[in-house]
Structure formats: C-alpha cells, structure tokens
Amino acid sequence: MSVIADASLTRFGKREETLLDLACESAVPLVKKYSQDIDFIIVSNAYSGEYNDVSGLNNLISTRLSLDDVPSIRVDNTSGSGGSSIMVADSLIRSSSARNVLVIGAEKMTGFPTKRSTRIIASLLQPEERSSGMSLPSLGAFMARSYLSEFGAPREAIARVAVKNHHNGSLNPYAQFQSEISLEEVMNSKIIADPLRIYEYCPISDGAVSLLLVPDENAKSFSSSGAAITGTGYSSSTSSISSRKSITTLDCVKRSSEMALRYGKITNNDVDVAELHDMTSVLEIIESEDAGFFRKGEGWKAVMNGDTDIGGTVPINTSGGLNSKGHPIGASGVAQAAEIYQQLSGKAEKRQVQNAHYGFSLSMAGFGNSATAIVYEGLS
Amino acid sequence: MKIYRCRNCKNRFLVFRFICPSCGMTGLETVPVIKGKVIETVMLKATPEPFPENYSVVKADSDGIIVFCRTLERLQKGDEIMIEDDDLGPVCSKI
C-alpha cells in the first residue's frame, strides 16, 4: 500500500510562467525536502506538444529539478492522466519497483484562442464523430438534455452544482475562481452548448501539483499525517459515442468505483469527502450516481438538498472541482488527490470537512473513455 | 456520409474498426448514409476550429445506427433529414 505523504500546489488560472516552470514551482518544495529519497518521477500531462511545443517533458523536468538520474516517465491519458499517474505510482510502490515516487501533474493551456483549445481537446474524439463539429461541451449538452428528460430533474439542479463548486472554490487559495456566484448569474450567463452555460463548464487553465507517494511502512518517517491509497479501480469504455447504449450512464465510472471501493474494503456510506470530474456540472451529478453515492436519477435531488455541500452527508468537490478550481488537464487528477490528502490530514482550512477519515476521487478521461477511482484512508 | 458494415455478420458501425466487435472478423466495407431521423440537437455557441460559428450538432438515427452531423437549421426531434458531406464533414437538412 502507498501513502500520500506530502503535497504541493501552484495557484491554478491564467499564469505567465512556462509549463516547465509551473511544474517545477509545484515540485521544488517537495524536492528540497526529499531529494535523497525520491527514486521515481511520474509526470502527468496530456497536451505539452499541442499547447507548448514540448516533448519528453519528464526528462526536461527531472533535469531542472537536479534529479537527472532519477528514472522518469510521462503518463498521458487525456483528462484522466492524473488518476492514471497515481495508479501507476501506487503500482510501482506495491510491486517494490520503486519506493518513493514524485508525481507531478502539470498543464499550460491558456494563450491560445478558445476555438483552438476546443479543437485540441476535441482531438480525443473518434474522427468519424469529430467531423460532425462535435466538441466536448456539446457532449455535455447532449448528456444534460437526456438527463433532464429521463429523470424529470429541474434545470436549476445542474446550475446549483456550479453555485456549490464556486462557493467551495472561494474557500480554496489555489482555485482559479475565488468568488461565489448566484443561481441567477449561472442561469443568465452565456450559452456555450444549449442548454449549458459558461459557468457550468470548467475554464481553460494553467497549473501544477506535486505529490510524494511512499510505502505505508515508511510513511511515518516522512509525516505524522497523510492519506493511504487503500484501493484503486480502473476501467475503460468505448470511445465511440455512437456505440454507447446510454449517454446518461458512464460504465467506466461504475466499474472503476466498484473496484476501488471493494479493494479499499469500504462502501460509499463510509466516504467522508469525494472529488469528482466535473468538466461540466451535469457530469458531477451523473458520476455521483454511477460511483454509487446516490441512486440512478436521484443525484440531482442530493444537490438540491445540500447533501453534497461541505457539511452535507457526502461533500463533493470541496476544492471547487474542475468547475471553480480550474482544469489544467494533466494536473486535475493529481489535484483531486491533493485535496483528499489535505482533507484527511486536517489541512483543508476553511473548507475542512470535520472528522474526514475516508476519501474518494474519480479521474475521468475523455467523455467517459476511461476512469480511475481511488479510495483513501487518513493516517492520523 | 458513410458508415461501415462487417462483410461477415453485416453489423454496421459509424466508427471504423479493423476487427468487427460483433463477430471478430476483419474486413469492413463502407455503406452510404443519406437519410436519418433526428433524436436530439444541441446548438453550439462555442465551436472548435475549423468549424464556423453557431451551428447545431444533430444526433440522428439511420436505420438503427446513431450518426452525427451538423446543421444551420432549427430541427426538431423526429424530423426526417437528408445527410450530405461538405468539406468539413456531414451536414444535414430537413426533408
């Protein structure tokens, strides 16, 4: 079993620094403390070639950190890169192939027009479907329309997810958006893909996060607190949208969540805090159902009842989620783990969930192409 | 617009496969698609390069296969559509 013993984040948002500098900004505090211990580096990044004209990112970063001879790899699984990186790090430690792994998630996406970014991200779609002018935001809109009509949910339930996550983001000093928004502001904001509006989508972001993962038997020598990774689950689904039986169910989320909870030997009822992949707000509702926190078609009621608020029965996206914290793609799944680490270590300050002991994160690639679910247990 | 059909089991797919997911045989052939029925439309206000501004993506049923195309028309669920290709991909209009 591995343990997240330490974490370091940059502020997410529009940043002037290069991708390399952002990655190192997050990693330097950990390297200064643990340079003699780190024996493997995993860099989570999806689009360094497309956005930054950089390849071999892991080698460039390790040299700048003066960890030139430490083995490193880059993991790219589009927006699920972060969860996949942590799964690989955990596997290396469990198999004794590495002892102390530095996981760095980094992405720099601003600087291009939105239309170019939308094209770059749409490149994960199958060409036969992408040629229709489909984009990731359009898939969110198809999903929202189907969900609202299938389950009779009110339109404002989706908007309330954005209101909640902006509130949580206002409590997170690393979030891209640090101000609250009202339901009216969401409902009157610019339409991106009808019926979804701009506040119901994640922004384009820059940012980086670093974690130190260590074997559980050594964890106490690094820190008195931490988050043990007690279960991971990974599952893929078809990347062909036209081949899916339903657009309101994410099979890979169901399977990966069941697997992680089973390996972690807990149930959904035990989870004190969860981070889900809310690229668009409707995804948080659907993932909360498919991950097993709520019955199918009832996730929207939990949002309306405040069950997913900080202080609710299952606080979701206490960090602000992708929606408010930001979504530097390769960094996002790593940032989810950093949030759970902070929550389970009692370091989440104004957004702290009281007595949080078990955590859960869900990092998703593409629009349900694959998902990594992780179950955590606090050490302290 | 074209879709793909397995020469062996005759199953059809929008997305090309080197191996048929139904029967495991190789060798898909192309089949033209010219008509469909609208299932759902989504109007896009933020579109990707190289597409123009302001169009709708249409999800349609064509003889049991889900296909996607774009349109400038305001289409409704159940509308019969004609599908053609322009330089960027499939476009549709109400019959």
Side-chain angles (χ1 to χ4, degrees), chain B residues 48-62:
Chain B
E49 290 179 344
F51 293 94
E53 303 299 322
N54 298 332
Y55 56 83
S56 293
V57 177
V58 178
K59 180 182 183 182
D61 182 300
S62 178

Side-chain angles (χ1 to χ4, degrees), chain A residues 290-301:
Chain A
D290 291 340
F293 292 103
F294 307 107
R295 287 185 188 158
K296 196 69 203 166
E298 296 190 358
W300 68 269
K301 294 178 186 170

Side-chain angles (χ1 to χ4, degrees), chain B residues 29-40:
Chain B
E29 59 189 357
T30 59
V31 182
V33 167
I34 55 171
K35 286 183 180 176
K37 185 181 275 191
V38 173
I39 298 171
E40 190 71 87

Side-chain angles (χ1 to χ4, degrees), chain A residues 244-260:
Chain A
R244 294 186 186 171
K245 292 188 182 81
S246 165
I247 196 168
T248 55
T249 295
L250 296 161
D251 290 333
C252 62
V253 171
K254 289 180 79 167
R255 290 192 293 260
S256 61
S257 301
E258 286 166 6
M259 197 183 303

